[in-house]
Amino acid sequence: EVQLVESGGGLVQPGGSLRLSCVTSGFTFSNYWMTWVRQAPGKGLQWVANIKRDGSEEYYVDSVKGRFTISRDNAKNSLYLQMDSLRAEDTAVYYCARDADARCDYWGQGTLVTVSS
Amino acid sequence: DIVMTQSPDSLAVSLGERATIKCKSSQSVLSSSNNKNYLTWFQLKPGQPPKLLIYWASTRESGVPDRFSGSGSGTDFTLTISSLQAEDVAVYFCQQYFSPPNTFGQGTNLEIK
C-alpha cells in the first residue's frame, strides 16, 4: 500500500524557519518525481515545488523561490521542504504527493504550517 | 507561468443531473512530442487530501466512477459529472503539468441544488 506521511508543521513566527518531512512507503521512491502542494485556509490549491527522481532538478513557484528548498533522501524514502524567511501568507496545509508521469496520484494527509506572531 | 481559469466559480446541480466545469489555460498544454494534453482534474473535500480524478485530460484514474469524464484539448477543457451524486459535493480543480510551476485553477465549488 502506498503511503505518504508528512510531519514538521507547527506554529512559527514571521521570519522563522521550519523543515517539513514526508516519509513514504509502498513504492520505489527513487523512481518518482515528488511534489509539494499547499492549501491556505479557505483558499485553493497552490503547487509549491517538485524534484526529480535523483534530486538533480528542482522547480519552485515564484512566491517561494529563494526561501524554500525541496530535497530528498532516496535511501530513506523521504522528501523534505526547508522553509526559511516564513511569511504570514505561507500559512497553509502542506501536502506531499507522488508525481507519476504528469499527475499527482498519491497524497499525504497534510501538515499545517501557521506563521503568526 | 501558465494561468488556469475555471468557470464557474460555483455551481449548484440537482441530484441525478449533469454537472459541467470548464477549465481554460493561458497557453496550450498539448505536447507536440506525444500528442498528450498535460491536464489533470482533482476533487477536494474538507479535511481530505486532493483526489486525482482525470489525467491526460481524459483518462480516468483507477477506481474513479465512470460518471466522471474529462474532455478537451489545447487550451479548453471540461470535467463532466453525468449524474450528480450526493458524495460528489466538493471543490474541483484543474491543473496543468505542461511546464513548471504546475499551476492549478482557482477551483469550482459544486453543491446540490
Side-chain angles (χ1 to χ4, degrees):
Chain A
E1 179 191 7
V2 173
Q3 289 192 323
L4 299 88
V5 180
E6 304 95 337
S7 62
L11 175 63
V12 61
Q13 292 188 339
S17 297
L18 276 179
R19 189 193 195 209
L20 305 184
S21 299
C22 173
V23 177
T24 73
S25 60
F27 65 100
T28 304
F29 182 72
S30 58
N31 286 353
Y32 293 85
W33 286 66
M34 295 295 295
T35 291
W36 287 100
V37 171
R38 68 185 179 183
Q39 184 185 20
K43 301 292 186 181
L45 299 173
Q46 184 181 39
W47 183 92
V48 174
N50 70 352
I51 186 168
K52 197 175 181 178
R53 300 172 195 87
D54 61 358
S56 62
E57 293 181 33
E58 307 161 22
Y59 298 92
Y60 299 90
V61 67
D62 282 350
S63 59
V64 309
K65 279 180 184 174
R67 300 188 300 120
F68 289 13
T69 303
I70 189 172
S71 63
R72 63 192 296 159
D73 185 335
N74 286 346
K76 295 183 177 179
N77 297 324
S78 294
L79 175 72
Y80 306 101
L81 187 67
Q82 176 66 41
M83 304 187 295
D84 299 321
S85 302
L86 282 161
R87 306 166 180 168
E89 54 264 35
D90 297 318
T91 294
V93 174
Y94 285 75
Y95 297 99
C96 67
R98 188 178 82 165
D99 196 327
D101 196 13
R103 62 196 184 268
C104 285
D105 59 351
Y106 284 92
W107 297 66
Q109 288 298 312
T111 186
L112 176 62
V113 172
T114 303
V115 184
S116 175
S117 55
Chain B
D1 297 359
I2 298 176
V3 177
M4 307 300 290
T5 304
Q6 293 180 226
S7 62
D9 290 335
S10 186
L11 180 63
V13 175
S14 300
L15 289 173
E17 295 301 306
R18 179 185 300 262
T20 301
I21 299 170
K22 302 284 189 182
C23 176
K24 188 174 184 67
S25 56
S26 60
Q27 64 188 76
S28 176
V29 298
L30 174 63
S31 172
S32 57
S33 63
N34 60 10
N35 203 38
K36 289 183 176 181
N37 287 282
Y38 283 63
L39 191 285
T40 59
W41 288 97
F42 291 93
Q43 177 190 66
L44 184 62
K45 295 182 178 180
Q48 297 183 20
K51 177 184 177 182
L52 175 66
L53 298 174
I54 304 286
Y55 59 96
W56 301 133
S58 60
T59 301
R60 196 179 304 113
E61 173 71 344
S62 176
V64 173
D66 61 7
R67 64 180 180 273
F68 290 90
S69 63
S71 63
S73 184
T75 62
D76 293 280
F77 302 91
T78 302
L79 174 70
T80 301
I81 307 172
S82 60
S83 177
L84 189 71
Q85 305 300 303
E87 61 264 33
D88 300 334
V89 170
V91 183
Y92 292 84
F93 294 87
C94 60
Q95 182 197 22
Q96 64 82 17
Y97 249 90
F98 189 77
S99 65
N102 298 334
T103 41
F104 288 91
Q106 80 276 18
T108 295
N109 187 38
L110 178 59
E111 301 175 329
I112 305 294
K113 185 187 291 183

